[in-house]
Amino acid sequence: MTESIWAILPAAGVGSRMQADRPKQYLPLKGRFLLDHTLDCILSYPRIGKAVVVLSESDPYWPESEHAHHPDILRAVGGNERCHSVLNGLHALEGVADEQDWVAVHDIARPCLQHSDLDLLFAGLGNSGAILASPTRDTMKRGVCQADGSVSIEHTVEREQLWHALTPQVFRYRELREALEKALNDGFEVTDEASAIEHAGGKPRLIAGRADNIKVTRPEDLALAELFLNQN
């Protein structure tokens, strides 16, 4: 692979499910901000050049980050939704990234990413890119809401070929930018970057990644992330 690889890390969310006094990316994890662990992994990977961190315009915590003045970090302003933030990050690379360069979008709240997974991901890129994913191991149920607000089982979903989408998700710079713009113009609900690529007709590859590449979304996830970081 001769094309450059850029990273985009959306970090403009408020993390309301964490029930904390600050966005989850700034919660303490092993004595550092959670996002500093994530950025360490991304910036220390030799094949990734620069990273775009997409922040809330009024973010008061970023100046306290260990990476606030890192020479390989560009900043962009976040949007209303994740897809808008990622698109803003792509726009920040205009005139910097080549149209055929690769862009790796990674959740800032996944601090346990390993370089071994990045090796597998970049080795497995197809024409429409690829994402890290985890095969579903549990029995899957489709639920239906009842009139009283409870949820009951409608039916069991066949779990074969079902995958949990993880990050990073890697696509060509131009392809991802155009796919996001098309999805937004079409009013399509973008749940992750791969869904925008799929909407545009692409078929990204699924690359099996480590199960400990968890996303911190709830208070109990923070302790689990610390456990995984200690083990690694």
Side-chain angles (χ1 to χ4, degrees):
M1 181 189 303
T2 58
E3 302 89 348
S4 297
I5 301 172
W6 309 84
I8 293 180
L9 298 104
V14 297
S16 57
R17 282 180 288 181
M18 288 299 294
Q19 303 171 15
D21 64 346
R22 61 184 61 196
K24 61 187 175 184
Q25 58 267 28
Y26 295 111
L27 290 175
L29 177 61
K30 289 176 61 65
R32 310 167 67 197
F33 284 156
L34 185 155
L35 98 174
D36 284 321
H37 292 277
T38 308
L39 289 170
D40 263 359
C41 178
I42 293 294
L43 293 169
S44 63
Y45 190 70
R47 296 175 69 180
I48 292 178
K50 294 184 182 294
V52 181
V53 180
V54 188
L55 301 164
S56 169
E57 191 169 17
S58 58
D59 188 326
Y61 301 103
W62 173 251
E64 301 174 35
S65 165
E66 299 168 14
H67 295 87
H69 303 290
H70 196 288
D72 291 329
I73 287 182
L74 307 174
R75 289 179 56 182
V77 176
N80 292 333
E81 303 291 341
R82 174 196 171 93
C83 56
H84 301 105
S85 291
V86 173
L87 191 54
N88 288 351
L90 291 167
H91 288 159
L93 290 174
E94 288 179 5
V96 179
D98 185 81
E99 299 280 75
Q100 293 301 306
D101 282 350
W102 295 99
V103 174
V105 182
H106 184 56
D107 295 325
I108 200 72
R110 292 187 188 272
C112 303
L113 176 66
Q114 295 290 305
H115 283 185
S116 58
D117 266 5
L118 291 174
D119 289 338
L120 291 172
L121 179 60
F122 291 122
L125 290 175
N127 290 334
S128 294
I131 74 170
L132 282 181
S134 176
T136 298
R137 297 180 175 87
D138 301 314
T139 298
M140 303 299 291
K141 306 289 186 182
R142 181 173 295 280
V144 58
C145 290
Q146 304 297 327
D148 63 359
S150 64
V151 180
S152 61
I153 296 172
E154 182 179 70
H155 64 268
T156 299
V157 180
E158 175 56 55
R159 71 183 176 191
E160 186 177 359
Q161 298 304 322
L162 285 181
W163 295 66
H164 295 282
L166 310 175
T167 68
Q169 302 193 356
V170 182
F171 310 101
R172 298 282 187 186
Y173 171 72
R174 178 178 179 177
E175 185 178 11
L176 179 56
R177 187 190 68 226
E178 292 182 348
L180 285 170
E181 289 171 346
K182 172 178 171 53
L184 291 172
N185 287 336
D186 292 348
F188 177 76
E189 182 181 2
V190 180
T191 55
D192 65 353
E193 291 69 51
S195 66
I197 296 291
E198 295 164 52
H199 178 69
K203 295 186 180 298
R205 290 180 177 176
L206 294 165
I207 306 297
R210 294 171 58 109
D212 57 3
N213 181 16
I214 64 168
K215 185 177 182 180
V216 175
T217 58
R218 299 184 181 277
E220 59 268 25
D221 297 334
L222 206 58
L224 188 58
E226 182 169 357
L227 174 65
F228 288 146
L229 288 172
N230 285 335
Q231 290 177 340
N232 294 326

